[in-house]
């Protein structure tokens, strides 16, 4: 059970290369601005306005549009795979969804009948699931 509880932290470590990504993606190699950060417009409260502007300007791309699963996630000298989680991605020309579900042995919700019949530990384990979505704006890179 503890291994499943640490799953979220491990996902973050893999994504950031153990926290090294901030050092690797800075100037002079990658000169980015604050408004290019993932949650910038959310924090500014203008996400929907900016997205509507991007759509009106035709800032969409079919380059990565599709749906797929991910059998392996590697970074920061760690990895997870389809033996520990199910991952599904959907990408349209302007929107994305990323759904990550850790495989939890011993929890069969169908047999329990309802979530109210789960123990506190089982509920914490189920809370490990991640799903996030957002707007996509692809660029040509640095």
């Amino acid at each position: 059970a503890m291994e499943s509880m640490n799953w979220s932290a491990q996902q973050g470590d893999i994504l950031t290369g153990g926290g090294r990504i901030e050092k690797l993606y800075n100037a002079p190699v990658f000169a980015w601005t604050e408004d290019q950060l993932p949650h910038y417009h959310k924090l500014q409260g203008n996400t929907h306005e900016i997205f509507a502007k991007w759509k009106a300007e035709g800032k969409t791309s079919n380059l990565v549009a599709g749906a797929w699963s991910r059998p392996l996630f590697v970074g920061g000298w760690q990895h997870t795979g389809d033996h520990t989680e199910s991952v599904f991605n959907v990408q349209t020309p302007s929107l994305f969804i990323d759904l990550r579900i850790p495989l939890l042995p011993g929890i069969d919700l169908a047999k329990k009948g309802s979530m109210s019949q789960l123990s506190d530990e089982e509920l914490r384990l189920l809370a490990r699931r991640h799903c996030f979505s957002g707007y996509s704006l692809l660029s040509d890179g640095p």
Side-chain angles (χ1 to χ4, degrees), residues 106-119:
I107 298 179
D108 188 345
L109 192 54
K111 288 183 180 176
K112 294 279 187 171
S114 74
M115 291 182 66
S116 65
Q117 295 180 11
L118 297 175
S119 70

Side-chain angles (χ1 to χ4, degrees), residues 55-116:
K55 281 285 275 188
E57 293 172 355
K59 293 184 176 180
T60 63
S61 175
N62 290 320
L63 181 64
V64 293
W68 59 91
S69 63
R70 185 189 68 216
L72 183 64
F73 190 33
V74 178
W77 303 105
Q78 298 184 59
H79 74 280
T80 59
D82 54 12
H83 64 286
T84 58
E85 66 211 21
S86 294
V87 178
F88 304 95
N89 297 96
V90 176
Q91 174 72 55
T92 74
S94 57
L95 301 168
F96 73 90
I97 297 173
D98 184 304
L99 174 62
R100 302 173 190 194
I101 305 169
L103 302 177
L104 305 172
I107 298 179
D108 188 345
L109 192 54
K111 288 183 180 176
K112 294 279 187 171
S114 74
M115 291 182 66
S116 65

